[in-house]
Amino acid sequence: MPWQWREPVVLLVEDDPGDALLVEELVADSALRIRLRWVRSMTDARDALLRENPDCVLLDLNLPDAHGLEAVSQIRAHADQVAVVVLTGLAEEETGLAAVAAGAQDYLVKGRVEPDLFGRAVRYAIQRKQAERAAVALRASQLQARENARLERGLLPRPLLRGDGVEVVARYRPGRSQALLGGDFFDIVQSTEGTVHALIGDVSGHGPDEAALGVALRIAWRTLVLSGVTGAEQVARLEEILVAERARTEVFATLATLTAAPGERRARITRAGHPGMLLRTPDARVEWVEVPAGPALGVVPGRARWPVEQLHVPPGAAVVLFTDGLFEGYVGRGPERLGEQGLLRLARETAGLAPEDFVDGLIQRAEELAQQQGGLDDDVAVLHLSWN
């Protein structure tokens, strides 16, 4: 609650009872209604700050256990979010100015303060501290926005396509509670001879560490593809990178890769703990496809095996890859989730739409179904892929 809507709490740190009485009289005579707490030393001030966060500290610079700017530094070290007004003697005005330079919001000279001036000084000090905190928060928000942009460029790349005949629709939707992008990632690369390579993956957890790990895995995957490393060996190398780069041993990642040579109607699929996929045929049918899979990356490092399976893709058909955030949202107000069968039902209801409308429709319908519980919690990545 903003301070002006209630009586601010002011902590007076003053060892001289006479000066403390003077401050109490200023409070009584000023128009500012405050709750004043009085302590006699820096030790007592630290204890008081542990019990309660005041709105302002009135600080004498000649305490028995702290003197001069050291007193300001100690208060800021224990309560950096609290406004500080320094109390100085008649011959210490330069010290007051130095205290402001050191982080205090204002200073008052004992014996020269009228009640109205005292009230304004305390009120303005609190307002200035609030403005400082707002400026810091704005700066942090701007830095976070720039970090989001950098992560987005790493997680959501432009497909590397070398010719016609490949149609890609890619979407990424951050979860409702995410300030940063999560660990979902995808990529498309077409080699010089025309082979199409696709990747979609999901790092467990949310936040900058997971997003950065997703970026590392995606870039490593593209490098491996361009180096000619595919299939199970490719996935094994990605697991090595995950184990080396993850911040905690419990972090893992699921992924699915697809490789299709030009003119062939069979795609090679490798799954590592990732959900199945959708196959859209030219006659507006949609099927759920789930080829045999190995475990997620990082679950049993160095001991996992990932089979490479063949998937028949008819001419004019499309494969839709996605992360589990698309079907793990709730349906209505109860505990029921959309699930794989629910997602397949939604896909079949919109099977006749164009690729972009189909993908956008799937995400929108899943979001609408989860709206009564605040929308989709998890990030959603979808990759709609077709080739000649």
Side-chain angles (χ1 to χ4, degrees), residues 18-353:
D19 287 341
L21 178 61
L22 175 63
V23 171
E24 290 174 350
E25 291 175 349
L26 288 171
V27 170
D29 294 340
S30 71
L32 178 65
R33 303 270 69 84
I34 68 174
R35 289 181 288 160
L36 187 67
R37 309 279 192 265
W38 174 35
V39 296
R40 296 171 179 256
S41 68
M42 184 60 66
T43 300
D44 292 341
R46 287 196 294 266
D47 292 340
L49 291 171
L50 289 175
R51 294 191 301 270
E52 180 181 26
N53 266 336
D55 298 283
C56 181
V57 172
L58 294 175
L59 178 63
D60 180 34
L61 294 184
N62 294 293
L63 299 171
D65 53 353
H67 183 76
L69 299 184
E70 176 194 354
V72 178
S73 298
Q74 290 194 37
I75 288 293
R76 295 194 66 206
H78 288 84
D80 190 44
Q81 302 300 308
V82 175
V84 178
V85 176
V86 165
L87 302 176
T88 69
L90 294 176
E92 297 177 319
E93 191 162 354
E94 289 187 3
T95 304
L97 291 170
V100 172
Q105 275 61 57
D106 205 345
Y107 73 94
L108 296 173
V109 179
K110 297 176 184 178
R112 289 187 179 178
V113 182
E114 297 297 326
D116 289 344
L117 174 61
F118 171 81
R120 285 197 301 271
V122 171
R123 183 169 64 249
Y124 292 165
I126 296 174
Q127 288 178 331
R128 280 194 291 273
K129 192 63 181 181
Q130 289 177 337
E132 288 177 16
R133 292 201 299 266
V136 169
L138 177 60
R139 174 64 175 165
S141 176
Q142 292 170 338
L143 289 173
Q144 188 177 76
R146 286 198 289 270
E147 182 66 14
N148 278 351
R150 285 194 292 270
L151 289 171
E152 182 172 322
R153 287 194 296 272
L155 286 169
L156 316 179
R158 292 182 179 179
L160 179 57
L161 302 178
R162 302 179 185 273
D164 298 329
V166 180
E167 184 177 4
V168 178
V169 177
R171 295 289 186 269
Y172 187 100
R173 178 204 170 282
R176 65 177 180 184
S177 60
Q178 303 305 108
L180 283 172
L181 295 173
D184 290 14
F185 56 95
F186 60 80
D187 203 353
I188 297 281
V189 171
Q190 188 177 22
S191 60
T192 53
E193 75 276 9
T195 299
V196 177
H197 303 265
L199 164 77
I200 194 162
D202 183 2
V203 177
S204 63
H206 302 286
D209 289 342
E210 290 76 12
L213 183 54
V215 173
L217 291 173
R218 187 201 65 76
I219 293 174
W221 175 84
R222 180 174 281 204
T223 302
L224 289 167
V225 168
L226 295 175
S227 301
V229 180
T230 60
E233 182 183 357
Q234 178 191 89
V235 179
R237 300 292 79 76
L238 291 175
E239 182 179 64
E240 290 178 1
I241 293 169
L242 178 137
V243 171
E245 297 292 334
R246 63 186 175 183
R248 305 178 308 280
T249 56
E250 64 269 21
V251 173
F252 63 90
T254 69
L255 61 82
T257 67
L258 178 151
T259 303
E264 292 186 3
R265 300 321 308 170
R266 289 189 177 276
R268 295 183 296 281
I269 307 292
T270 307
R271 292 173 57 226
H274 203 76
M277 57 201 71
L278 298 174
L279 180 64
R280 296 185 70 200
T281 59
D283 56 354
R285 290 188 297 111
V286 181
E287 299 297 335
W288 183 275
V289 177
E290 195 165 301
V291 301
L297 307 188
V299 175
V300 285
R303 303 198 304 273
R305 297 294 180 268
W306 297 278
V308 179
E309 301 293 330
Q310 301 285 331
L311 173 66
H312 177 66
V313 181
V319 177
V320 185
L321 307 170
F322 44 84
T323 54
D324 58 11
L326 184 59
F327 60 82
E328 287 194 340
Y330 289 99
V331 177
R333 296 185 179 277
E336 181 186 357
R337 295 181 184 269
L338 178 61
E340 297 172 353
Q341 290 304 309
L343 177 62
L344 179 59
R345 183 177 63 255
L346 295 183
R348 286 174 171 169
E349 291 173 358
T350 55
L353 296 178

